[in-house]
Amino acid sequence: MTDRLGPDNAIWDDGEWVSWDEINQQIQYKEWRARYPNADLSLVPVFESLIGTAEEYYHLTGRHLQVYGDIGELYGAITHGIKLHRNYAKGSDGRLGNDFVEIKTITPFKNCDTVEINLDRHFSKVLIVKINADFEVRGKLLDRKALPQGKVRGNRLCIDWSLVEAK
């Protein structure tokens, strides 16, 4: 077996062989750039692999992996360009320009589409990410000032997905 490029695995272009794998990768990157214009494209395969693994595991076992918070954070990084803080950082999950962003994820196994936001945390935007039962991911980004009224328990605000208007 050889790794040499030739007419069986590549095309001749501008004086050199270009592999079909390289061409397919460039097409994939163009599709991702159209779908995720703010993304660090190196994160997209990790996100897609993680959501795919969570879905496959659920279909095989009927149980959920505990990865949905990470999926929500990756979704924020990819779709909005949020720069994530290190794990377990206090106050917020990441930054978007000068804004601190709190990311809350609604999991596919949750009985209701609500999130609970700790109002004592330091953030100026909230990204609510919803992963539905078909493992489709959507998000709504809002300013803290635009948070809808919800139940307040102490310093925690409960918000229903259906009441949230995306910015």
Side-chain angles (χ1 to χ4, degrees), residues 87-156:
N87 288 342
Y88 309 109
K90 300 279 186 201
S92 64
D93 295 307
R95 283 185 80 120
L96 184 57
N98 292 326
D99 293 309
F100 289 97
V101 182
E102 178 72 6
I103 301 171
K104 302 306 265 180
T105 304
I106 300 170
T107 62
F109 58 84
K110 197 167 182 187
N111 292 335
C112 59
D113 288 344
T114 62
V115 292
E116 188 174 280
I117 299 171
N118 183 345
L119 298 173
D120 288 343
R121 294 196 70 179
H122 179 68
F123 63 91
S124 52
K125 292 188 181 297
V126 176
L127 175 64
I128 300 175
V129 178
K130 181 178 178 180
I131 305 168
N132 70 17
D134 294 323
F135 293 86
E136 298 165 332
V137 184
R138 295 184 306 159
K140 296 179 180 180
L141 182 66
L142 357 139
D143 288 324
R144 183 177 183 145
K145 293 178 263 180
L147 288 173
Q149 297 301 314
K151 286 190 227 170
V152 178
R153 287 183 246 159
N155 61 346
R156 298 186 180 275

Side-chain angles (χ1 to χ4, degrees), residues 29-38 47-48 78-79 137:
Y29 270 61
K30 284 184 183 216
E31 289 172 0
W32 286 340
R33 180 59 63 209
R35 187 171 177 191
Y36 307 114
N38 298 314
F47 169 77
E48 290 186 350
I78 290 167
T79 60
V137 184

